[in-house]
Amino acid sequence: MEGKIDLQRTRAGYIDALKGLAIILVLLGHRSFHTYITQLIYFFHMPLFFFLSGFLDKMQYSSVFEYAQKKAKRLLYPYLVFGVLIIVYHTAFDAVRGATVSGRLTKRVIALLYGNYIWENNSDYIGTLWFLVGLFFAGIFAYGMYRYARKNKLALLIGVMLMMCAGAACSYVNRKYGIRLPWCID
């Protein structure tokens, strides 16, 4: 049939446009323009990325374990590979500069295994990769909730509300006490 469009193979242009917008917002947010503009951008640019990732996921897995296995290959494997490359790069750069390597190397490895910011300004540890482990665990939580409550809209709504409250509580604890949970669960 000539006039039919195969919806399975057609890219949604608005999804690509939203991804492009989110990328631009990340760049603008890191430029630290005006405080209010930066806060506004940070309010939704990463949730937009996470939403788009979930929106594009077909969620056709038989179990949460199978889902976690497939997501680990797509998210945790690159996290580990690029994390090790970042550690090697920064450690080699420190050695060339004549800086002490052992203490910094230990901090970098701990930060990679912890999967979150532990120390202030540790961007040379895992700072650029945090979203990979965050997306992995957010996906597992969301898929588990979907599997549990997919036929019960009220249970699904309650689950989403509980996740939002948990996120707000983690954010509060982080701001108030500087505590971050491992693997960007917060």
Side-chain angles (χ1 to χ4, degrees):
M1 303 176 110
E2 280 184 41
K4 285 225 166 191
I5 296 174
D6 185 1
L7 293 177
Q8 297 292 344
R9 296 181 178 252
T10 304
R11 286 185 68 108
Y14 67 95
I15 297 291
D16 290 334
L18 284 172
K19 284 196 251 177
L21 174 66
I23 289 168
I24 290 168
L25 290 173
V26 167
L27 294 172
L28 290 174
H30 284 287
R31 296 305 320 147
S32 298
F33 287 113
H34 192 275
T35 303
Y36 297 117
I37 295 172
T38 302
Q39 286 177 348
L40 178 65
I41 290 170
Y42 272 61
F43 181 69
F44 72 92
H45 76 293
M46 289 312 293
L48 179 61
F49 270 124
F50 279 45
F51 172 78
L52 291 173
S53 295
F55 183 76
L56 297 172
D57 196 330
K58 293 180 181 129
M59 293 201 173
Q60 297 175 342
Y61 306 98
S62 60
S63 69
V64 175
F65 181 75
E66 182 186 351
Y67 177 85
Q69 280 184 309
K70 292 191 187 260
K71 289 298 176 179
K73 288 178 188 172
R74 295 195 63 185
L75 297 169
L76 296 184
Y77 180 73
Y79 171 79
L80 290 173
V81 169
F82 286 105
V84 168
L85 290 174
I86 287 170
I87 289 171
V88 168
Y89 169 79
H90 284 287
T91 303
F93 188 72
D94 285 345
V96 168
R97 286 186 340 188
T100 306
V101 173
S102 64
R104 290 181 179 185
L105 176 61
T106 302
K107 277 186 164 184
R108 289 174 179 139
V109 171
I110 290 170
L112 181 71
L113 296 174
Y114 193 73
N116 205 337
Y117 293 99
I118 300 173
W119 303 280
E120 280 300 311
N121 300 321
N122 71 340
S123 61
D124 67 322
Y125 306 127
I126 56 105
T128 56
L129 301 174
W130 71 268
F131 69 94
L132 291 171
V133 288
L135 186 58
F136 174 76
F137 283 104
I140 289 174
F141 290 144
Y143 187 70
M145 188 173 51
Y146 166 77
R147 293 275 302 167
Y148 173 74
R150 66 179 166 214
K151 296 193 190 299
N152 184 338
K153 303 280 190 219
L154 180 61
L156 192 57
L157 178 64
I158 291 170
V160 168
M161 297 301 285
L162 287 174
M163 284 182 70
M164 290 173 65
C165 290
C170 286
S171 181
Y172 173 78
V173 167
N174 181 337
R175 275 193 316 267
K176 180 95 172 156
Y177 303 106
I179 298 171
R180 291 188 178 268
L181 296 177
W183 311 301
C184 294
I185 292 173
D186 54 333

